[in-house]
Amino acid sequence: MTNPIVGITEKQLTAISKYLSFVLRHKPDAIGLKLDSCGWASIDELVDKTTEHPLTAELVDLVAETNDKQRFAINSNRTKIRANQGHSIDVDLALTPLIPPEKLLHGTAERFCASIQEQGLSKGNRHHVHLTESKTVAASVGSRYGKLKVLEIDSKKMHEQGFIFYRSANNVWLVDNVPTEFIHWHIS
């Protein structure tokens, strides 16, 4: 299927989205792109430095606006872009702590369950553990890595015990870690 706005296929849009995720979340230096302290990059600079894909400001805008997971934000005057979360580089997303819902979900693969039962959920090389209110989203994320397991997190109890939660612009709940005592294994 071709997108009528720019004459580009959905497959090409997906490839560009993955490329933008890589550059904006993990390796801006791979193309010599400069991010500010909050993770924002100039769209013009991104377009100028990208050689892997035919990129225009309009195409960057289209990818950001149509990404089903809302991975990107564009500033109000449409000159800058950033990833909403998932960074392995040091950025300050300027998130405000929020009270989470009573329960949140985390999608993973069964092959990771033994480690999670021992250590809980850890952020690894990212800034936070990602949680969601949606079983569909948790299932989509977890099934990418193998046989699906959706875990229920007692986020209310975590919050009551001092854990700090944030919610990204695309409604992903973020926390530093989830100890095993807050994980319920009966969901899927």
Side-chain angles (χ1 to χ4, degrees), residues 39-58:
W40 293 100
S42 160
I43 292 175
D44 287 342
E45 182 183 357
L46 174 64
V47 168
D48 288 345
K49 293 183 181 248
T50 296
T51 58
E52 187 171 326
H53 298 280
L55 208 56
T56 64
E58 294 77 18

Side-chain angles (χ1 to χ4, degrees), residues 3 5 8 10 13-14 17 58-72 74 78:
N3 187 305
I5 298 174
I8 191 163
E10 292 300 317
L13 283 175
T14 298
S17 176
E58 294 77 18
L59 188 53
V60 170
D61 192 51
L62 177 66
V63 170
E65 294 299 320
T66 61
N67 183 270
D68 62 339
K69 295 182 179 164
Q70 300 176 330
R71 293 181 194 267
F72 312 105
I74 293 185
R78 310 207 77 68

Side-chain angles (χ1 to χ4, degrees), residues 47-181:
V47 168
D48 288 345
K49 293 183 181 248
T50 296
T51 58
E52 187 171 326
H53 298 280
L55 208 56
T56 64
E58 294 77 18
L59 188 53
V60 170
D61 192 51
L62 177 66
V63 170
E65 294 299 320
T66 61
N67 183 270
D68 62 339
K69 295 182 179 164
Q70 300 176 330
R71 293 181 194 267
F72 312 105
I74 293 185
N75 70 344
S76 61
N77 65 0
R78 310 207 77 68
T79 59
K80 294 183 179 185
I81 185 171
R82 78 172 180 185
N84 281 324
Q85 87 279 323
H87 298 82
S88 60
I89 57 175
D90 189 27
V91 296
D92 177 6
L93 295 176
L95 300 171
T96 303
L98 294 172
I99 297 172
E102 188 171 324
K103 303 288 181 195
L104 288 167
L105 304 172
H106 179 81
T108 191
E110 279 190 5
R111 64 189 165 104
F112 300 128
C113 288
S115 173
I116 294 169
Q117 285 176 321
E118 284 182 24
Q119 302 170 17
L121 292 169
S122 65
K123 59 187 174 180
N125 65 351
R126 298 210 179 173
H127 287 219
H128 299 98
V129 172
H130 296 190
L131 305 171
T132 181
E133 295 176 71
S134 165
K135 189 168 185 180
T136 302
V137 170
S140 173
V141 170
S143 63
R144 290 187 301 192
Y145 302 105
K147 189 170 181 196
L148 175 64
K149 185 72 174 172
V150 176
L151 310 174
E152 184 180 78
I153 310 303
D154 191 344
S155 45
K156 178 182 179 188
K157 190 177 282 186
M158 286 182 66
H159 176 71
E160 289 169 351
Q161 292 188 21
F163 287 83
I164 299 172
F165 287 82
Y166 305 95
R167 189 173 57 209
S168 68
N170 60 340
N171 291 318
V172 174
W173 283 91
L174 307 168
V175 67
D176 281 340
N177 67 310
V178 180
T180 57
E181 64 265 24

